[in-house]
Amino acid sequence: QMKVTITGNGFYTVAAGTSKTLIDAIKAGTSFAWKVTTNTSADNYLSGGSAYVTSTEVTGGMTDASQISYTLVASGTWGYSTKT
């Protein structure tokens, strides 16, 4: 078991059927299951069951895709799974 900080950035979208905003979840101290990988097709997912969002920033112009930067603090057991 370990405690780590995960930071990243990318394009921002909201999953269909999402009923809680990210800001509400951060305020409530909600933990999230997490899964990260590089953009390399042969890499597997690194995943775990407990991460807390400690910061996030969403930016973008009127006609541009929104981008997100985020920091998660994760602890507990990690796992590897095949990238799908």
Side-chain angles (χ1 to χ4, degrees), residues 14-80:
V14 177
T18 301
S19 61
K20 190 165 189 64
T21 68
L22 183 58
I23 298 301
D24 289 342
I26 293 169
K27 286 180 182 178
T30 303
S31 69
F32 297 89
W34 57 275
K35 180 168 60 173
V36 295
T37 189
T38 66
N39 199 26
T40 304
S41 62
D43 285 353
N44 291 329
Y45 289 117
L46 177 63
S47 60
S50 181
Y52 294 89
V53 177
T54 58
S55 69
T56 186
E57 179 181 7
V58 178
T59 58
M62 278 299 250
T63 60
D64 297 331
S66 296
Q67 295 186 359
I68 187 169
S69 297
Y70 58 87
T71 302
L72 306 172
V73 175
S75 61
T77 304
W78 299 15
Y80 290 97

